[in-house]
Amino acid sequence: MVQQTKSAPQTSQGLPPAPAPADPKQSLAEERQNPSFPVRELTTFIDNGPAAAEYKERVMFELERDPLWRMDNSPDLSLAQIRERTMAKVANLVHHLQTEPLDLFWQRMAVISVVDPAFWTRFGVHFGLFFGAIQGQATAEQLGYWMDKGAFTLNGLVGCFAMTELGHGSNVAGLETTATFDEETDEFVIHTPTITATKWWIGGAAHSANYSAVYAQLIVKGKRYGAKTFVVPLRDTATYKLLPGVTIGDIGKKMGRDGIDNGWIQFTYVRIPRFNMLMKHTKVSRAGDVQEPALAQLAYGALIQGRVSMVADSANMSKKALMVAIRYAAIRRQFAAVPGQLETKLLDYPIHQYRLLPLLAQTYALNFTGMEMTRVYHALMRQINGAKDGQDLTGILEGLKETHATAAGLKAFGTWNCLNTIEQCRQSLGGHGYSAYTGLSGMYTDFAVQCTWEGDNTILTLQCGRYLVSTLLEHRQSGKPLAQNVAYLARALQPVQPCPARTEADLLRTEVIREAWGAVAASAVARATARFEKALQAATSGGKKVTKDEAYEQCATLRLHAARLHCYGYLVARFADAIPRAPASVQPILTRLCLLYGTYAIQENKGEFLQSGFFNVDQIATLHDAMSTLLTQVRQDAVSLVDAFNYSDYIVNSPLGRYDGNIYEAYFNLVRANNPNHNDIPYFDKIIKPLHNRSLESEEVPQLDF
Amino acid sequence: MVQQTKSAPQTSQGLPPAPAPADPKQSLAEERQNPSFPVRELTTFIDNGPAAAEYKERVMFELERDPLWRMDNSPDLSLAQIRERTMAKVANLVHHLQTEPLDLFWQRMAVISVVDPAFWTRFGVHFGLFFGAIQGQATAEQLGYWMDKGAFTLNGLVGCFAMTELGHGSNVAGLETTATFDEETDEFVIHTPTITATKWWIGGAAHSANYSAVYAQLIVKGKRYGAKTFVVPLRDTATYKLLPGVTIGDIGKKMGRDGIDNGWIQFTYVRIPRFNMLMKHTKVSRAGDVQEPALAQLAYGALIQGRVSMVADSANMSKKALMVAIRYAAIRRQFAAVPGQLETKLLDYPIHQYRLLPLLAQTYALNFTGMEMTRVYHALMRQINGAKDGQDLTGILEGLKETHATAAGLKAFGTWNCLNTIEQCRQSLGGHGYSAYTGLSGMYTDFAVQCTWEGDNTILTLQCGRYLVSTLLEHRQSGKPLAQNVAYLARALQPVQPCPARTEADLLRTEVIREAWGAVAASAVARATARFEKALQAATSGGKKVTKDEAYEQCATLRLHAARLHCYGYLVARFADAIPRAPASVQPILTRLCLLYGTYAIQENKGEFLQSGFFNVDQIATLHDAMSTLLTQVRQDAVSLVDAFNYSDYIVNSPLGRYDGNIYEAYFNLVRANNPNHNDIPYFDKIIKPLHNRSLESEEVPQLDF
């Protein structure tokens, strides 16, 4: 390639001298000199009060000092080592479960979920899933029995939750495992009839569990009654040898969360007593009569809890990711504005602000959303638990339906956005984001599963969308009142009123932004509903009527969009609601963040706003400029805003996210400590030396002379 | 929780009998019964002719039979095992490099990059980077010397490319490593002055390399001349012991690509002869005079090559991911439309079509884009290499500038979209996407680095945007003619002409879609340009003029958007260009795919189209309906369209993507084979047994009686 110049080379006079390198610690410290708000007051507000903030700090301190909880060497542990260490943590944590009030214990678990998601899963499989199934589905007598066996103390009983099968996930009704009642012996026979019926992904099955809660098709007298839950022993408690008829294997390597021992299970005609079917709802009598409850919906409560906690978890994991990315961006420098001067901090580039600060604002929004969802969930559970015999449950059921739909949508919205935040933060570290020691890559691979389990995100978003469409239809057709969180749907019955605000000052108000989100979500729900009705009216080519379910499938894309916009609006509204409850000293910064999130999200979805007619192109352009200004303002407080998240260096677990800013030294030392065998090339003699010393003969081709 | 019904339980009559399970092989086979096009003709077209398709098949066959290239057990290999196996592959592939014509060898490498990205990197570090640096920057005499040393045959010389430092990535000018000329001894002294100057991420440094091409600040007689390239020996070739003054460590675990041995290097006053500075461009004489070339831009050629190949690689990796996701979706069933009937295939759900099929269309678009970019690049290089002394290079330089900008934008666009495609495909597998054995999780972690190396994607996209803004300005200010790929920018000088088409039939034509993309990209570039000019005119608060660079930073967000839209339009245009060159038999399906990609991308960016005024809300709605119809049509050919990608089961390397559809059995067997120690719980006695048998005393709190 001719890369040579054609003109004569020139004798060079050299460049100006290089500036002295910046001190990383100083670069970070200077960011904390003039926060526009008192950081501690913001912390206690977002941590739900001073007591909770202090308890969180105590837990962080305890974990940091316990060698069992050391995390900075985890990238180099083998699967076997990780599994063992995680089980040791389970044994360690049981102490707190039994000595600490349950609300504090859950606060402890919320910290731990950010430290070690695989552990959190391993512990949660027993307590959330197995024990949760027993609590929710056992009769009082059965619950007592399993408690005596050690279901709460893990003294004799570690359980797993055997629902999913190799060929069956989201559709529980399609499970193939059978539980056939044998009237002669008063037993159920649990059986895996095909390879696709193999219980799959069962957390705890490979190593930890000696019992399982198995979902299987109940068959009595040759008739199927749908999937019910059965407690099936897997292993001898004294030896952990598999019981007859039980085959278990290890699911092996996963994208992440290797600390949890997922396994597969096949049952070959395993007999259990009738007592082991959980019979709070459906009952099978000694004679084989099957009784089913009239109202099944109330069991949704259990689903909601998991999803609500995942919204909070999404906020917390996003905090951790942003603490690394924003502190790093305040230290890392790249390109000098003037040759010979100090390079510019990444955080001073408008594009870097645009990459990270809206995610920061979103994380605050998710935090307040998680707090509010938790409050709503507990209030609802109190209502349900306080219901008296014979009371009309219609109101409670409506609330449950709305909360169930919103929790489904927000679980999907929160986990997708958290995964995106982690990845954006990872990419913002440049090459260092690809190292296992800077934390973000492991966060991504650990977190990714959250988009799938406890309800696949796409299916959950569609569920939320279906609720929105059916709610709008019922409201329109029969005037059924709208729950508070979907009150905006009333707008869908009227033509869109374009926003009258024109100037930046008029547009940039939380009321306006909030109203805009209501208007656009209503418009999207209306569009999905129109598509649904059109599909319902059309006959298929064969002349057959389209069913309601088919019509819902036809409008699925629009339903998905509508639910997404509903969730955006929900976050904006929860953020705006939180501001007046905050101390006055932090209200201005929270307002800026709320507006930043709202305007950013409007830009990301400007097509919807223009399509709805609520904003015109001039208003969109004005809001874009307003967003740019907000980015510049929030940038000034960026480091203080992540400091306020109140996670110690131990929790952040990344040398690039250190509080003191000494990132390069810490990173270098960590890489060196985890890779001590510097000059050991085990395959030098076997592969490299022969490569260098090979004869090239075999690579030469002898030539004929004709 | 009251989950119990309040009305009396009812005796149930049971459900209809379950249908017989579907045969996975049959489910897939039926998809191939009526393709709307001849699959082999499409394959030879996208594989660049029958000869190339057959050569690809031969390479796949060779790899599949060679035990060294076995890939299905890679998830369970340790870092040490992966490193060794990868080096053995290097030694193995050298044979082909030396016996095979280079164009065939690159076709071989294109297949291998899809099989084992870590290997591809390890091999590429020597041939692409180290040898590339020598080829591009050495004088003829120097090149001959290093060839004799084994730079091409690896017989005595394996090189690495030591550019990046711990504290310095994208900004080569900011590197800290120094190369100080010692006039007395006619040597350079290579030195790492600080911890941030440590060479970092250097592929091959930890194990493979005995030489390095080091970027260091040239200092002669106390003056700096910027970063130049020096060949520095690292290890004794006979023993691979480190040479004096060289300290090397292992970078250790990464998110992926563990087969490549990235390392860090510190030099402590290491002396090399003056000959070891690569002096094709800048020259240092014996006396210490420094001559620099007048025109440096022509060296961009080397950057373009890597980026162009990453566009093709993005297409190929997307193909692999989609082969898994689409075949799985044609087999996996979920929820029955009618109780008691067979469940519905995922691929029959409109939402699943919407998730996957636009990505399929995009992959075809990327494929044609990669082919065209490769052609353009080679044509340009021929022009440059054929340039005669004294010839006016202005035309060539303009072409180089445009290709450089487009390649930068497309590298970013292609790798970001490929990473997204992999992740969407992974999530579409439900829980199975989280297994290490189904392939997609490893593809994600291996591919993720492509968004960062060879130019960080954000920076590259901004570069492309800067080219677009400056091109529009030059054209407007001085009437400078526009290169063909940016001819659409002429539209930016006129008011937008709204699209006159109204009906679906009029809108859904490749010419209209293509024109729409030109219009919207022109409008976005115009908006970024206006912002740039506004910034340039404004004085800062201190009254200081804003520099051009500062003004470019101010419009960075709009510049990023403009470049993204430019890339979308480029893909649509290259796809449309390819159709008339295809055999008539495959033109209809390619047209449908091209329209699907175009309309999908319009929906994803509808805000831009509405903002530009080219489409109104009715046209957007019509195009949305048209997209839905296209999804239904393309769904009929979906399996044949991934079959046409012509990758064997060995390459796809996922039990869920098997050609024969026998996915569940293969997946089950693979998991079992990789995790043979089923019931070995190594820590049972140590942790689990004591947990079950512990005394609960310590968890009891003794009570005082007052």
Side-chain angles (χ1 to χ4, degrees), chain A residues 10-30:
Chain A
Q10 301 167 338
T11 301
S12 175
Q13 296 310 309
L15 304 167
D23 173 9
K25 286 184 286 203
Q26 175 54 30
S27 293
L28 193 55
E30 71 195 19

Side-chain angles (χ1 to χ4, degrees), chain A residues 521-686:
Chain A
S523 155
V525 175
R527 228 174 319 132
T529 305
R531 185 77 187 77
F532 169 76
E533 292 183 291
K534 195 177 148 195
L536 209 55
Q537 280 147 18
T540 58
S541 58
K544 212 167 52 125
K545 277 301 273 184
V546 171
T547 69
K548 212 165 149 181
D549 282 345
E550 282 163 355
Y552 270 119
E553 294 308 331
Q554 303 269 319
C555 73
T557 321
L558 295 174
R559 197 154 45 107
L560 192 90
H561 283 306
R564 271 185 61 243
L565 297 172
H566 168 77
C567 291
Y568 269 116
Y570 190 92
L571 259 72
V572 168
R574 293 301 77 74
F575 200 154
D577 286 345
I579 298 172
R581 294 197 302 266
S585 59
V586 302
Q587 288 188 10
I589 183 68
L590 287 178
T591 304
R592 279 195 289 281
L593 282 170
C594 181
L595 290 171
L596 173 57
Y597 182 58
T599 52
Y600 167 78
I602 287 170
Q603 294 303 316
E604 289 293 290
N605 297 280
K606 63 186 176 186
E608 304 288 341
F609 284 89
L610 292 170
Q611 211 169 0
S612 75
F614 186 80
F615 285 139
N616 61 33
V617 291
D618 292 333
Q619 289 164 315
I620 291 288
T622 305
L623 285 167
H624 185 273
D625 289 347
M627 177 190 75
S628 303
T629 310
L630 285 163
L631 286 173
T632 316
Q633 293 170 350
V634 170
R635 182 260 170 270
Q636 299 310 318
D637 286 319
V639 168
S640 300
L641 283 166
V642 296
D643 286 351
F645 289 151
N646 193 24
Y647 282 131
S648 65
D649 281 356
Y650 164 77
I651 305 284
V652 173
N653 193 30
S654 169
L656 302 188
R658 283 172 70 94
Y659 184 86
D660 71 0
N662 192 18
I663 60 172
Y664 293 115
E665 207 174 298
Y667 179 27
F668 182 69
N669 289 338
L670 182 64
V671 167
R672 212 161 41 166
N674 277 293
N675 298 277
N677 302 317
H678 281 180
N679 296 301
D680 175 19
I681 308 173
Y683 49 83
F684 172 69
D685 287 332
K686 189 170 156 197

Side-chain angles (χ1 to χ4, degrees), chain A residues 1-4 6-7 10-16 18 75-76 84 94 98 122 136 153-156 166-169 171 196 200-201 207 223-226 238 240 242 250-256 280 290-292 294 299 332 334-335 343 349-350 354-355 384-385 389 416 423 426-427 430-432 434-437 441 444-446 448 452 458-459 553 557 561 606-608 611 617 664 667-668 671 675 679 681 683-684 686 692 694 696 699, chain B residues 1-4 6-7 10-16 18 75-76 84 94 98 122 136 153-156 158 166-169 171 196 200-201 207 223-226 238 240 242 250-256 266 280 290-292 294 299 332 334-335 343 349-350 354-355 384-385 389 416 423 426-427 430-432 434-437 441 444-446 448 452 458-459 553 561 606-608 611 617 664 667-668 671 675 679 681 683-684 686 692 694 696 699:
Chain A
M1 190 198 329
V2 178
Q3 288 177 323
Q4 196 63 286
K6 301 297 168 184
S7 45
Q10 301 167 338
T11 301
S12 175
Q13 296 310 309
L15 304 167
D76 287 287
E84 175 168 342
V94 166
Q98 286 166 243
R122 194 151 175 180
T153 61
L154 287 98
N155 205 315
L166 178 55
H168 309 275
N171 181 20
T196 45
W200 201 258
W201 282 119
H207 288 168
K223 279 203 167 166
R224 291 168 66 244
Y225 293 88
Y240 260 48
L242 292 178
D250 195 325
I251 287 282
K253 278 292 287 180
K254 302 186 294 287
M255 190 176 196
K280 185 170 181 177
V290 181
Q291 282 196 331
E292 292 191 276
R332 177 73 165 198
Q334 196 161 275
F335 299 108
E343 293 179 301
Y349 287 101
Y354 172 73
R355 284 173 82 174
I384 293 178
N385 292 336
D389 259 359
W416 266 334
E423 178 63 12
R426 193 191 68 72
Q427 289 190 24
H432 298 323
Y434 204 61
S435 168
Y437 308 103
S441 69
Y444 188 92
T445 53
D446 280 348
T452 304
T458 300
I459 293 181
E553 294 308 331
T557 321
H561 283 306
K606 63 186 176 186
E608 304 288 341
Q611 211 169 0
V617 291
Y664 293 115
Y667 179 27
F668 182 69
V671 167
N675 298 277
N679 296 301
I681 308 173
Y683 49 83
F684 172 69
K686 189 170 156 197
H692 284 313
R694 76 194 190 282
L696 295 182
E699 286 149 19
Chain B
M1 188 200 330
V2 178
Q3 287 176 323
Q4 197 62 287
K6 300 296 169 185
S7 44
Q10 300 168 340
T11 302
S12 174
Q13 295 311 308
L15 304 167
D76 287 287
E84 174 167 343
V94 167
Q98 287 167 244
R122 193 150 175 182
T153 60
L154 288 98
N155 204 315
V158 176
L166 177 55
H168 310 274
N171 182 19
T196 46
W200 201 260
W201 281 120
H207 288 169
K223 280 203 165 164
R224 290 168 65 245
Y225 294 88
Y240 260 48
L242 292 177
D250 196 325
I251 288 281
K253 278 292 287 180
K254 303 186 294 287
M255 189 178 196
Q266 291 174 336
K280 186 172 183 176
V290 180
Q291 283 197 328
E292 292 192 275
R332 178 73 165 198
Q334 198 162 274
F335 299 109
E343 291 179 301
Y349 286 101
Y354 173 74
R355 287 173 81 174
I384 294 177
N385 292 337
D389 259 2
W416 266 333
E423 178 62 12
R426 193 191 68 72
Q427 289 191 25
H432 298 323
Y434 203 61
S435 168
Y437 307 104
S441 69
Y444 188 92
T445 53
D446 280 348
T452 304
T458 300
I459 294 181
E553 293 309 331
H561 283 306
K606 63 186 175 186
E608 304 288 341
Q611 212 169 357
V617 290
Y664 292 115
Y667 179 26
F668 182 69
V671 168
N675 297 278
N679 295 301
I681 307 172
Y683 49 83
F684 173 69
K686 190 170 156 197
H692 284 314
R694 76 195 190 282
L696 296 182
E699 286 147 20

